[in-house]
Amino acid sequence: MGSCGNGRSSEYDDPASLEKMEELVLPLKLMPLHTNGRLYDMRLSSPTATCVINSSSGSFDPIYRAWTKKYPSALNAFDHIVAYGKGKKIALFLDYDGTLSPIVDEPDNAIMSDQMREVVRNAALHLPTAIISGRSRDKVFDFVKLTELYYAGSHGMDIMGPVGEHDSVTDHRSSINSNRKQGKGVKIFQAGTEFLPMINEVFRLLIDKTKAIDGVKVENNKFCVSVHYRNVEEKNWQLVSQCTNDVLKVYPRLRLTHGRKVLEVRPVIDWNKGKAVEFLLDSLDLANCKNVLPIYIGDDRTDEDAFKVLRDDKRGFGILVSSVPKDSHALYSLIDPSEVMEFLKRLVMWKKEEASHNK
């Protein structure tokens, strides 16, 4: 996912025409959060990335610009955001794919740039920071390689955090101690460990069931299974869906959700990225604090659970990373990972300046 230019204008060339376009055109372009029909849902979850900047004029696509009236750029609204966060402790939650790294054809090649890694490291030194991903926790850690963070893999069902800073993590009845050493000690919370044998079994069945479909990649993310169809011809998407649903017919305790050109097989439990945010805020002793501002940045439909939690609680907000107009529970938007990096840089710089003024 990427833009075709740099910078974002905060002014509209023709506000009147954009208002008219917003009324007449934009509703037809938005992606609803819930739809019926397997193939239709796959298409809605996997929009084609668009060039949001006209290369000849340097202006934004008018439909996208109209959409940003509802979801303003977090860069343009930065002063407003930090004004609201003044004197508050900011907790930062980040998705990985499409947010910290670009979306790529081969999931194993979604490598974070060294520059982004340094920006995230710097953010974690000044703000409590967590990465919440649909990937397995171990895989996300292998991509990021930073010990300063919290990691929540499998859509928040597998959480790792540094030991010694927030002992409340161990108070949760599902928490376990880990003997792993990844730079320093860690503590882990895991939801749904009883599903692990079932997930492994379904993973093997899905590999066998889809092996004849060119381009399919089945990934075991420990507490969930991802069926990637990014490299599958669209005429075969229905077949991918059918094969996946055929396997799940005899597993009523598992459910199917949609991501960006990926089908996610997950346990039927009351846990998602929103629950993971709530758990982490509680672990950080920030759940009941009035002077905390949680910010969640993500690009996927699975991030909507976290956006909704923060919006409903009126204590934080989500930032949707997208170059495609779509409906969301987020309050702000960014185009791509390059804008995410710029936002994080500015956020840390502001936090450092605020800290120096308070000395």
Side-chain angles (χ1 to χ4, degrees):
M1 176 177 62
S3 62
C4 299
N6 295 319
R8 185 190 287 212
S9 173
S10 60
E11 301 294 333
Y12 299 120
D13 296 331
D14 188 352
S17 64
L18 281 176
E19 287 181 8
K20 184 176 180 180
M21 183 176 296
E22 184 179 44
E23 294 174 0
L24 299 179
V25 180
L26 188 56
L28 301 178
K29 297 291 184 178
L30 292 181
M31 289 174 48
L33 299 182
H34 303 288
T35 59
N36 295 318
R38 294 174 185 171
L39 183 58
Y40 185 56
D41 213 12
M42 292 171 80
R43 286 172 176 160
L44 286 176
S45 300
S46 311
T48 301
T50 59
C51 181
V52 298
I53 298 179
N54 186 302
S55 58
S56 59
S57 66
S59 61
F60 272 79
D61 172 78
I63 294 176
Y64 187 87
R65 291 170 63 196
W67 177 75
T68 60
K69 293 182 70 176
K70 183 176 181 180
Y71 304 99
S73 162
L75 293 176
N76 289 343
F78 186 79
D79 289 343
H80 175 76
I81 291 172
V82 296
Y84 183 73
K86 186 176 181 180
K88 296 181 179 180
K89 187 166 187 175
I90 294 177
L92 192 58
F93 303 95
L94 307 166
D95 184 25
Y96 182 76
D97 292 274
T99 299
L100 299 180
S101 71
I103 296 294
V104 294
D105 290 338
E106 174 52 54
D108 290 339
N109 293 336
I111 306 299
M112 170 191 276
S113 69
D114 291 339
Q115 187 178 9
M116 178 67 89
R117 181 175 293 103
E118 189 56 33
V119 168
V120 174
R121 184 199 304 274
N122 201 26
L125 293 176
H126 296 88
L127 310 167
T129 302
I131 294 179
I132 304 179
S133 172
R135 303 268 198 156
S136 72
R137 176 176 52 79
D138 288 342
K139 185 165 291 185
V140 175
F141 181 85
D142 288 342
F143 279 140
V144 179
K145 295 181 171 64
L146 295 176
T147 59
E148 296 87 349
L149 313 177
Y150 281 82
Y151 292 88
S154 304
H155 301 289
M157 287 183 279
D158 189 10
I159 300 176
M160 174 182 77
V163 162
E165 297 180 11
H166 310 289
D167 289 338
S168 59
V169 174
T170 60
D171 296 336
H172 197 286
R173 60 185 175 86
S174 297
S175 297
I176 60 174
N177 289 325
S178 171
N179 293 322
R180 295 189 59 187
K181 299 293 181 180
Q182 295 176 333
K184 57 182 177 180
V186 298
K187 292 181 181 178
I188 297 177
F189 159 76
Q190 294 180 330
T193 53
E194 68 273 19
F195 288 92
L196 290 176
M198 189 183 301
I199 290 292
N200 289 330
E201 184 176 299
V202 167
F203 170 65
R204 292 190 294 269
L205 289 172
L206 284 171
I207 287 179
D208 183 66
K209 190 76 172 179
T210 62
K211 63 184 179 183
I213 307 174
D214 288 340
V216 169
K217 180 179 177 63
V218 183
E219 183 180 17
N220 189 335
N221 285 315
K222 191 168 183 176
F223 288 87
C224 60
V225 177
S226 300
V227 182
H228 299 274
Y229 56 92
R230 180 167 300 278
N231 296 319
V232 176
E233 292 186 38
E234 188 169 342
K235 66 181 181 180
N236 292 326
W237 286 9
Q238 181 68 52
L239 181 58
V240 175
S241 177
Q242 186 63 54
C243 289
T244 305
N245 279 277
D246 285 348
V247 169
L248 293 185
K249 284 179 181 178
V250 294
Y251 293 93
R253 298 182 68 199
L254 298 178
R255 63 190 176 105
L256 191 65
T257 61
H258 293 260
R260 294 182 62 185
K261 293 189 178 177
V262 61
L263 301 176
E264 303 275 10
V265 178
R266 300 160 64 178
V268 180
I269 58 175
D270 186 22
W271 199 264
N272 52 46
K273 289 185 176 183
K275 295 287 186 181
V277 167
E278 292 178 322
F279 175 83
L280 285 165
L281 286 172
D282 184 58
S283 300
L284 292 162
D285 294 326
L286 298 176
N288 299 314
C289 295
K290 293 183 179 180
N291 65 334
V292 61
L293 176 62
I295 299 175
Y296 189 107
I297 307 177
D299 75 307
D300 196 79
R301 287 179 72 177
T302 59
D303 297 311
E304 292 295 332
D305 293 315
F307 294 158
K308 188 174 187 301
V309 161
L310 296 182
R311 188 163 192 161
D312 289 351
D313 289 350
K314 297 180 180 179
R315 58 176 170 176
F317 54 82
I319 300 175
L320 175 66
V321 184
S322 180
S323 64
V324 178
K326 53 185 176 181
D327 206 2
S328 177
H329 294 295
L331 291 184
Y332 298 100
S333 67
L334 293 167
I335 293 176
D336 56 21
S338 68
E339 287 204 347
V340 173
M341 184 162 61
E342 178 61 25
F343 178 82
L344 295 179
K345 285 180 180 178
R346 292 173 64 176
L347 188 64
V348 171
M349 185 179 300
W350 168 79
K351 197 63 181 175
K352 290 166 69 174
E353 290 175 353
E354 184 189 47
S356 65
H357 291 157
N358 292 335
K359 286 183 178 179

